[in-house]
């Protein structure tokens, strides 16, 4: 019993500490039992097909050539955008003076003069060469042989080879850039109407796109409905989980006190009965023990008893020991505890435990109405979200933009066809002329090869050698082709130069630095029929530059259009507009989920009666002192063994018989009476030990149990309500994050995708990339490379004519 009681005391102390921790721990420090932060919602993106794909300049191995050409054009045309000249040309073309155009295009005029001079001078030089050749004065033979002729011949060969190499490199660049222009022109021109159609489709699909975005509210709605399905049970489980330590500790403490009451009553009854039985047994044993002492003393004092004097003293001291009539009575305590326990503590604890464990089911039942209200509220929220699509103003204000884009698409078709036709002619002319240049180079290479071979086979410089003569003729054929087609080359170079150069310096350069946008935005620069702000229905306080910047930064189309009434998307996407009622219904919900009776009034009275019964007032020390005294002062077994020893020493058989009889009587008394009393004393010791351990702490334990039980009963509803508010707050924040995710996605999707103004800015950027980076750069590189070929034909002609003389026999040999 002692180890069990000690274990129970230690367990009760641990339970008390746990209970104190649970009572003192603030409920607000609990973490959310619900599923943490809301997950990331996935929305369907169904608008990729209406976007204008952004084009970018692709790095190329010809970029150094493009950069060189642009620097050359910057040197040729250093004037900024001719604002006044363009204004006059657009508003009153008749007022434009030629001198103004010449002054602005002075660099191109100088280049035109150079081209004209080249066009006239080279064919005239060719005619003069033909005349001289007919008179045998040009391209003939050397008149005399000198030692320096070999050095001069090698120098001319090197110069003609280097010139031919430069022309070959240039013509290769010409072919490459010409093919690149051809490859970029067709898709580039096709991108213009395609982009305009895409923009119109983008604008036309806005209402459908907005409705599709609004329909995506089904994603957060289904998630919220799913979360609502598990809210009530999750709240109940959280309340039960956070309060079970406190509740179970209180129930365990109450069970311990009920056990103390039952066990104490049992031991008190045993103690009372045992004391009565010991007192009665003592009264019965006293005369028998006195008679037995008289008989043993008389026998041992008999003179016939040999050696009996040594045992006589022990026999004379044979008398009773402990007297339990002197111990305190517990009748008063038993009378106070009579009829206890009047209540069934086991049933009470079972009911309290069952009521507490039913909190999750009770939460489901109590929260069912508010869950249904929240589901109905989600239907109302869906109607509110639909108002985003219903109030979206764009369909009524994008008509002018669509019409302007349609007109631009229709008007661009004839011009694009003409440009495509001109490009086809340019490509054909460029290919033919580049082929002629390649033919000239072929004549150069063949002539130099045959001439050099003929020289190596000629022993005498004055001897005729057919291969050297053939080499000279090939060189003269190349010279003739150069004279014959150089004027066509320079005309093609100048024509493409004039177009490509002005596109680069007048359009592309000013497009990059946005000077064109500034020119368009300046009032009066454009005629009323070309008013871009009115045609695109832009805001009155906006212009093309501002609209481009806003569109580039991701503004919505409605933010740059002229609307009769202002439309603030941010105002329509404020979360409280849709979540206020949802949040209010959750915030106003209250339910009592912690009403648990741990101890009824009759149970409390039983424990109070137990504490007042006086169990702790009994002097259990008196019992323990009395139990230390044996039942009989002299040990009966020891005295009996001594008599049996004396029996063996007697010579007188009568005395020996009497000694044996007395020893047998003592053994019988020990076994029948004394042992039963000793068993009662042992039983009495167990009860005294339990009660003596319980008594000092009884009042404190009962008082603590009653106070703890009352405190837990009072705190359970309060803390359950706190946990309920905490869990609902966690749930509310989680669901509000779903609303916020959806509304943020709606704003981002409308601005960047469905009703984005960015396609307009992207279309303008794509136009610059196509015109300037993909067409103008290779176009200008084409005329630059072809121009290099054309101008290097002049040294090619000179070196070829000079070299022909070295391939023919010398007229007069000087010894």
């Amino acid at each position: 019993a002692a180890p069990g009681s000690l274990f129970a005391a230690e367990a009760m102390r641990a339970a008390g500490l746990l209970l104190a921790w649970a009572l003192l721990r603030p409920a607000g420090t609990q973490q959310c039992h619900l599923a943490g932060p809301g997950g990331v919602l996935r929305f369907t993106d169904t608008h990729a097909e209406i976007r204008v794909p952004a084009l970018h300049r692709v790095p190329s191995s010809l970029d150094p050539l493009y950069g060189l050409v642009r620097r050359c054009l910057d040197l040729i045309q250093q004037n900024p955008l001719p604002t006044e000249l363009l204004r006059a040309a657009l508003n009153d073309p008749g007022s434009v003076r030629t001198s103004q155009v010449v002054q602005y295009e002075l660099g191109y005029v100088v280049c035109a003069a150079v081209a004209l001079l080249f066009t006239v001078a080279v064919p005239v030089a060719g005619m003069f060469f033909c005349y001289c050749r007919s008179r045998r004065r040009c391209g003939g033979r050397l008149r005399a042989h000198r030692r320096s002729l070999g050095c001069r011949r090698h120098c001319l060969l090197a110069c003609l080879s280097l010139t031919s190499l430069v022309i070959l490199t240039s013509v290769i660049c010409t072919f490459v850039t010409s093919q690149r222009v051809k490859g970029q022109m067709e898709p580039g021109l096709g991108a213009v109407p395609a982009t305009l159609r895409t923009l119109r489709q983008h604008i036309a699909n806005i209402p459908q796109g907005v409705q599709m975005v609004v329909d995506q509210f089904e994603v957060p709605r289904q998630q919220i409905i799913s979360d609502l399905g598990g809210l009530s049970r999750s709240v109940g489980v959280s309340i039960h989980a956070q309060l079970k330590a406190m509740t179970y500790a209180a129930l365990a403490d109450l069970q311990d006190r009920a056990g103390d009451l039952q066990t104490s009553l049992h031991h008190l009854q045993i103690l009372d009965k045992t004391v009565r039985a010991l007192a009665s047994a003592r009264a019965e044993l006293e005369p028998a023990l006195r008679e037995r002492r008289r008989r043993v003393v008389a026998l041992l004092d008999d003179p016939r008893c040999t050696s009996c004097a040594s045992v006589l003293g022990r026999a004379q001291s044979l008398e009773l020991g402990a007297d339990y009539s002197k111990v305190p009575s517990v009748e008063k305590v038993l009378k106070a505890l009579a009829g206890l326990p009047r209540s069934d503590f086991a049933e009470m604890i079972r009911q309290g435990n069952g009521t507490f464990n039913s909190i999750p089911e009770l939460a489901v039942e109590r929260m069912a109405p508010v869950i249904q209200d929240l589901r109905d509220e989600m239907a109302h929220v869906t109607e509110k979200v639909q108002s985003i699509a219903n109030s979206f103003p764009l369909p009524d204000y994008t008509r002018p933009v669509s019409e302007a884009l349609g007109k631009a698409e229709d008007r661009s078709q004839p011009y694009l066809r003409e440009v495509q036709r001109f490009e086809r002619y340019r490509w054909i002319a460029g290919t033919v002329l580049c082929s002629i240049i390649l033919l000239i180079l072929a004549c150069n290479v063949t002539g130099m090869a045959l001439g050099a071979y003929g020289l190596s086979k000629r022993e005498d410089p004055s001897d005729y050698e057919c291969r050297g003569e053939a080499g000279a003729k090939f060189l003269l054929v190349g010279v003739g082709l150069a004279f014959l087609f150089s004027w066509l080359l320079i005309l093609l170079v100048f024509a493409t130069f004039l177009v490509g150069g002005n596109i680069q310096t007048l359009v592309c350069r000013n497009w990059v630095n946005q000077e064109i946008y500034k020119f368009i935005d300046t009032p009066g620069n454009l005629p009323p029929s070309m008013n871009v702000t009115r045609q695109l229905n832009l805001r009155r306080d906006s212009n093309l530059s501002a609209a481009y910047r806003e569109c580039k930064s991701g503004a919505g189309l409605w933010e740059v259009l002229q609307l009769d009434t202002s439309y603030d998307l941010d105002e329509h996407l404020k979360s409280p507009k849709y979540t206020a009622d949802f949040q209010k219904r959750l915030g106003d919900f209250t339910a009592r989920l912690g009403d648990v009776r741990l101890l009824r009034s009759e149970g409390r009275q039983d424990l109070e009666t137990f504490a007042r019964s006086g169990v702790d007032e009994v002097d259990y020390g008196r019992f323990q002192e009395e139990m230390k005294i044996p039942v009989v002062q002299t040990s009966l077994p020891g005295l009996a063994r001594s008599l049996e020893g004396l029996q063996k020493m007697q010579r007188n058989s009568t005395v020996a018989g009497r000694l044996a009889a007395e020893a047998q009587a003592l053994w019988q008394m020990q076994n029948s009476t004394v042992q039963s009393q000793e068993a009662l004393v042992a039983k009495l010791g167990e009860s005294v030990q339990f009660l003596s351990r319980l008594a000092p702490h009884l009042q404190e334990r009962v008082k603590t149990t009653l106070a703890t039980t009352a405190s837990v009963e009072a705190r359970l509803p309060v803390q359950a309500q706190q946990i309920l508010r905490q869990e609902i707050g966690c749930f509310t924040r989680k669901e509000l994050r779903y609303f916020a995710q959806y509304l943020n996605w709606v704003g981002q999707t409308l601005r960047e995708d469905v009703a984005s103004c960015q396609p307009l800015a992207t279309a303008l950027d794509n136009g610059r990339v196509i015109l300037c980076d993909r067409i103008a750069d290779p176009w200008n590189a084409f005329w630059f490379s072809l121009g290099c070929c054309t101008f290097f034909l002049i040294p090619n002609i000179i070196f070829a004519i000079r070299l022909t003389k070295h391939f023919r026999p010398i007229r007069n040999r000087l010894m």
Side-chain angles (χ1 to χ4, degrees), residues 24 41 46 99 109 120 125 308 324 354 391 420 476 553 628 748:
L24 296 175
L41 300 178
T46 57
S99 60
V109 171
V120 174
C308 292
Y324 286 94
S391 62
Q420 196 166 4
L476 289 177
S553 63
K628 294 177 182 178
Q748 181 180 0

Side-chain angles (χ1 to χ4, degrees), residues 389-402:
N390 297 337
S391 62
F392 208 70
L394 280 183
D396 298 332
Y397 301 96
T398 54
R399 192 176 299 108
V401 181
S402 299

Side-chain angles (χ1 to χ4, degrees), residues 449-506:
L450 289 175
Y453 185 68
L455 287 175
S456 65
K457 295 297 182 181
R458 190 169 62 187
E459 297 179 357
D460 190 339
S462 62
D463 291 341
Y464 178 81
E465 215 288 319
C466 62
R467 281 165 292 200
E469 186 67 26
K473 289 181 179 180
F474 268 105
L475 289 178
L476 289 177
V477 170
V479 170
L481 291 174
F483 279 129
L484 185 61
F485 292 100
S486 59
W487 67 278
L488 291 175
L489 287 168
I490 198 65
L491 287 180
L492 180 60
V493 169
F494 180 72
T496 52
F497 159 73
L498 190 62
V499 175
N502 276 291
I503 289 177
Q504 173 61 36
T505 58
L506 188 61

Side-chain angles (χ1 to χ4, degrees), residues 257-279:
R257 298 292 79 72
D260 289 345
L261 172 60
Q262 294 280 4
T263 307
S264 298
L265 183 60
H266 172 69
H267 283 292
L268 285 170
Q269 291 172 349
I270 290 176
L271 188 146
D272 183 63
K273 290 179 182 180
T274 303
V275 168
R276 291 179 183 274
L278 286 172

Side-chain angles (χ1 to χ4, degrees), residues 263-322:
T263 307
S264 298
L265 183 60
H266 172 69
H267 283 292
L268 285 170
Q269 291 172 349
I270 290 176
L271 188 146
D272 183 63
K273 290 179 182 180
T274 303
V275 168
R276 291 179 183 274
L278 286 172
S280 175
R282 187 177 191 281
E284 293 177 0
L285 180 61
E286 184 177 7
L289 184 63
R290 188 167 51 249
E291 176 62 23
R292 186 58 52 201
R293 182 183 61 184
R294 185 186 63 77
R295 294 172 65 86
V296 171
V297 169
L299 178 60
L300 294 176
D301 198 31
D302 191 335
R304 295 174 295 174
C305 186
T306 306
S307 301
C308 292
S310 60
V311 184
L312 181 61
R314 291 168 58 191
Q316 290 175 345
S317 63
L318 186 64
E319 59 184 13
L320 291 176

